Amino acid sequence: AYEMSASLVGSEMCIRARASEMRKLSPAELDAKLIELKDELFNLRFQQAINQLDNPMRINAVKKDIARIKTIQRDIELHGATS
């Protein structure tokens, strides 16, 4: 049980690091990353439909990354690039 909680803490730290990295990107880079992730999500869903998907949890991770980028874009839209 201890090992599992330690890995969750590690993944949480990884998510926070990824979010802070994304906040450093320019709006154009965020748009490009969003398009890239949407393409990846489409491909993952296609693989799932034909039962060729290796890691089903990757779909959830990509969806969360898309939501993370959209949240950052909305924050920039509301508060400007300073925050």
Side-chain angles (χ1 to χ4, degrees):
Y2 178 74
E3 291 174 24
M4 189 169 122
S5 68
S7 68
L8 290 176
V9 170
S11 67
E12 181 67 27
M13 288 170 29
C14 181
I15 288 169
R16 289 178 191 264
R18 202 171 355 165
S20 65
E21 282 178 25
M22 286 184 185
R23 287 194 178 274
K24 294 175 185 172
L25 298 176
S26 71
E29 290 171 324
L30 285 172
D31 288 338
K33 185 76 171 164
L34 185 62
I35 291 169
E36 176 187 321
L37 288 170
K38 284 184 175 183
D39 285 344
E40 183 178 354
L41 182 61
F42 174 80
N43 290 331
L44 289 170
R45 284 184 173 152
F46 189 79
Q47 287 177 6
Q48 186 179 35
I50 60 173
N51 292 325
Q52 299 246 331
L53 186 60
D54 295 330
N55 184 4
M57 294 305 294
R58 182 72 185 132
I59 291 177
N60 289 340
V62 171
K63 285 166 62 175
K64 286 180 181 181
D65 282 344
I66 290 171
R68 198 171 284 121
I69 288 179
K70 286 186 173 187
T71 301
I72 292 168
Q73 286 177 329
R74 181 66 177 152
D75 187 44
I76 290 171
E77 182 181 320
L78 290 176
H79 303 106
T82 57
S83 59

